[in-house]
Amino acid sequence: LDFKNEIPEYISSNLRHPLRPYQKEAIGRYLYYKNDEKNRVLPEQILYNMATGSGKTLLMAAIILEKYKQGERNFIFFVNNSNILTKTRDNFLGGIGSSKYLFTDKIVIDNQVVNIREVSDFSDSQKDSINIIFTTIQQLHGDLTEIKENNLSYEQFEDLSVVLLADEAHHLNAGLNDKNENSWTNTIQNIQRSSEKSSLFEFTATIDLENKDIAKKYEKSLI
């Protein structure tokens, strides 16, 4: 199968930079996987194991466009490092004039202009926009375990479909066999349980596939 040739225009025409062949293949493999009823696991969970410097953030931008086309409107980007958070915020929200911005100046899907908005929780979502929460895994974990006004809560996920984008995702496996309900791994699993239509896209350059538990976890979802 050639995964490189069939990148839809709603992805390629809305990115500022052309996709490299291996990025096209990475997206193409997901597009194939989403229709592969035999192997696709729900809730959807994909791990992209890609080298540092390979342009994972542009791939994330492409995935956001694809998931918007599928009908998704609510996104959470999270990482363990607040420096990466600042950089990615510029990549996704920088807008016209920003050299770091990864989308075209006007995103158009199905003849509609699509705005990208940063939100603090999904009570403020707009139905024709890409609504993104930017957070660290520590903050996400804290918000969901400590109930406060204007914080995310598990209840919000029950009525929503949410796309989770996790950078440096190898950190999520720190609690894989941790029976402690407070581990980060459990936080993500709880989101997926609350939002049964959720999708999780993980990105890392350093997944430990020598670990049998990790290898088993990703055996059907590693790209």
Side-chain angles (χ1 to χ4, degrees):
L1 288 167
D2 183 357
F3 296 105
K4 297 191 191 84
N5 290 331
E6 298 300 320
I7 301 304
E9 189 183 352
Y10 59 80
I11 293 177
S12 56
S13 67
N14 286 308
L15 294 173
R16 174 168 283 186
H17 308 292
L19 291 161
R20 301 169 198 163
Y22 63 84
Q23 291 168 325
K24 289 182 180 178
E25 180 170 349
I27 295 162
R29 285 181 180 275
Y30 166 67
L31 296 176
Y32 175 82
Y33 172 81
K34 75 169 185 176
N35 295 317
D36 181 5
E37 292 187 8
K38 182 179 169 192
N39 288 307
R40 188 180 177 205
V41 177
L42 294 173
E44 189 174 67
Q45 186 163 351
I46 303 291
L47 173 69
Y48 278 108
N49 186 24
M50 297 174 70
T52 301
S54 59
K56 291 194 286 290
T57 316
L58 186 62
L59 184 60
M60 285 182 210
I63 294 293
I64 287 171
L65 294 168
E66 168 59 31
K67 295 305 290 187
Y68 182 91
K69 177 71 173 178
Q70 290 180 27
E72 301 291 351
R73 298 296 183 265
N74 300 303
F75 297 80
I76 300 177
F77 172 87
F78 62 97
V79 70
N80 73 308
N81 181 315
S82 56
N83 292 338
I84 297 173
L85 199 62
T86 302
K87 175 177 161 288
T88 307
R89 191 183 266 113
D90 289 343
N91 292 150
F92 292 165
L93 298 172
I96 297 170
S98 169
S99 61
K100 296 179 180 176
Y101 189 56
L102 294 178
F103 297 100
T104 50
D105 291 340
K106 186 191 287 185
I107 299 173
V108 179
I109 297 178
D110 295 332
N111 299 316
Q112 295 286 323
V113 175
V114 178
N115 295 315
I116 302 183
R117 306 171 62 246
E118 181 174 10
V119 296
S120 58
D121 64 52
F122 293 124
S123 62
D124 187 34
S125 287
Q126 291 181 0
K127 62 179 173 52
D128 294 323
S129 298
I130 294 167
N131 304 281
I132 307 185
I133 292 170
F134 292 91
T135 187
T136 61
I137 181 61
Q138 298 93 330
Q139 181 72 43
L140 181 62
H141 177 72
D143 285 348
L144 290 169
T145 50
E146 185 180 343
I147 297 168
K148 279 187 187 170
E149 197 174 348
N150 299 325
N151 262 16
L152 269 177
S153 66
Y154 286 118
E155 287 71 29
Q156 281 196 18
F157 291 108
E158 289 172 9
D159 302 318
L160 291 173
S161 185
V162 178
V163 180
L164 300 149
L165 301 159
D167 201 6
E168 303 290 325
H170 50 280
H171 292 283
L172 291 183
N173 290 308
L176 192 57
N177 289 316
D178 192 346
K179 301 302 179 223
N180 176 5
E181 285 298 311
N182 281 323
S183 75
W184 297 347
T185 304
N186 277 318
T187 297
I188 302 308
Q189 289 171 343
N190 288 338
I191 290 173
Q192 291 184 291
R193 273 194 290 271
S194 300
S195 173
E196 294 180 4
K197 294 176 287 186
S198 67
S199 303
L200 173 60
F201 290 84
E202 301 178 59
F203 299 82
T204 183
T206 53
I207 198 72
D208 180 15
L209 293 175
E210 298 294 313
N211 180 315
K212 285 188 289 188
D213 294 321
I214 291 175
K216 173 112 181 99
K217 176 180 175 181
Y218 294 109
E219 66 182 348
K220 288 193 170 182
S221 59
L222 178 68
I223 297 181

